[in-house]
Amino acid sequence: MKMPASDIPALFDRTTLAARRARVQDEALFLHRAAVDEVQDRLSMVKRGFTAPAVVTPFPQVWDAILLGATIVADDEVLALEPGAHDLVVHAMTLHLANDPVGQLIQCRRALRPDGLLLAVCLGGETLHELRAVLGQAEVEVTGGLSPRIAPMGEIRDLGALLQRAGLALPVADNVALTAEYRDLRHLMRDLRAMAETNVLSSRLKHPTRRAVFDRASALYAQNYATSDGKLRATFDLICLTGWSPDESQPKPLRPGAAQARLAEALGTNETKLSD
């Protein structure tokens, strides 16, 4: 029996997320500024101008001077975007915290004019894999159990498939791996709090973690992921998604068998038939 949508528990506690974002420190938003760089780089390769952009972001101060005249909206469950009003929508660094990521992309697609562009940047599956590994091992060793501490994040192939599910054309997904270095585990955890990227899973533990877990995790981190000068590496996997609102002017794939030339000829190689 299928559960009603209203009865399905939310993956993320959005109330807690909002409270933590209210305490964010602007200088800690380096991932959001990296997303700005990625968006600008991709826009520079698109041979057209955009006159009605919109940005979905919890931190408008990061984008105020980037896309002049852009409509800035919060990443609420229901986006305050007017249907068909925009030729560009940027979904900036919040898709990995959405309870309904496909729904977010569908809302963005509906806000686009025909042949409008969606650019979404979010954190992907390799993000904080070092921290995930050491916290998991430390908790098992110290307590004999395992609790959810870092949200599951989509892999690039899965996130790219969301573009098609949302009805976007010409989907492209790629990623950029960023590595930060920290003095110790406490330094990393403090930075995550300052950027509001700490654990807001609805199923997270609601009581303090034993100090012994963090002590053991710190030792494991230094043992397995330290640089030559003793710093701790932390990976942030930025996934960049690109899709277009469908339009008749866009190129269409050829039907099977409709090609006018053989691939072997284009590559300058000999074609060999496979044996039965």
Side-chain angles (χ1 to χ4, degrees):
M1 181 177 177
K2 187 176 180 180
M3 295 177 63
S6 59
D7 294 339
I8 299 175
L11 179 62
F12 296 106
D13 180 350
R14 300 282 299 182
T15 301
T16 298
L17 176 60
R20 294 181 181 177
R21 283 175 171 174
R23 299 192 296 269
V24 78
Q25 298 176 20
D26 188 71
E27 64 272 14
L29 296 177
F30 67 89
L31 292 177
H32 289 260
R33 293 188 167 88
V36 168
D37 292 340
E38 291 303 319
V39 167
Q40 290 181 311
D41 183 52
R42 282 157 176 75
L43 288 178
S44 71
M45 294 184 286
V46 178
K47 296 180 179 180
R48 73 158 68 173
F50 296 96
T51 59
V55 182
V56 179
T57 175
F59 304 117
Q61 70 273 21
V62 176
W63 290 91
D64 278 344
I66 305 302
L67 294 172
L68 297 180
T71 299
I72 307 292
V73 303
D75 64 319
D76 298 325
E77 303 282 8
V78 178
L79 301 175
L81 290 171
E82 182 181 345
H86 303 284
D87 54 5
L88 169 67
V89 174
V90 177
H91 201 292
M93 289 299 291
T94 66
L95 201 62
H96 59 284
L97 293 170
N99 284 314
D100 182 11
V102 177
Q104 291 281 302
L105 295 178
I106 289 174
Q107 291 180 73
C108 291
R109 191 255 301 161
R110 289 174 176 168
L112 287 169
R113 300 168 183 169
D115 204 31
L117 175 62
L118 169 69
L119 284 172
V121 185
C122 64
L123 293 178
E126 288 300 303
T127 297
L128 296 176
H129 69 86
E130 306 93 345
L131 182 61
R132 190 191 306 272
V134 299
L135 280 177
Q137 183 177 341
E139 188 170 19
V140 169
E141 291 181 9
V142 174
T143 71
L146 189 63
S147 58
R149 295 186 175 276
I150 298 177
M153 300 180 195
E155 300 296 334
I156 186 169
R157 178 176 297 181
D158 298 327
L159 290 169
L162 297 186
L163 293 169
Q164 292 178 305
R165 289 180 60 189
L168 289 153
L170 309 174
V172 176
D174 61 291
N175 71 319
V176 178
L178 303 177
T179 302
E181 296 182 358
Y182 293 92
R183 294 187 301 273
D184 49 35
L185 183 60
R186 183 175 298 179
H187 183 203
L188 168 58
M189 298 297 289
R190 186 167 61 247
D191 211 21
L192 293 176
R193 284 194 296 272
M195 67 175 79
E197 290 290 349
T198 48
N199 187 4
V200 292
L201 288 166
S202 297
S203 58
R204 71 190 184 281
L205 289 178
K206 301 301 195 297
H207 58 77
T209 298
R210 291 166 56 180
R211 180 172 179 176
V213 172
F214 289 115
D215 289 343
R216 179 58 179 150
S218 182
L220 288 168
Y221 213 134
Q223 176 183 332
N224 293 286
Y225 302 109
T227 65
S228 58
D229 57 354
K231 299 289 182 63
L232 303 185
R233 299 191 308 273
T235 298
F236 296 97
D237 185 22
L238 262 63
I239 305 291
C240 304
L241 306 175
T242 305
W244 296 83
S245 179
D247 186 70
E248 286 300 318
S249 66
Q250 293 164 350
K252 304 291 190 300
L254 292 173
R255 297 189 308 277
Q260 300 299 310
R262 294 182 179 277
L263 178 61
E265 294 174 358
L267 296 177
T269 62
N270 295 321
E271 182 178 13
T272 302
K273 291 185 178 181
L274 296 176
S275 59
D276 295 333

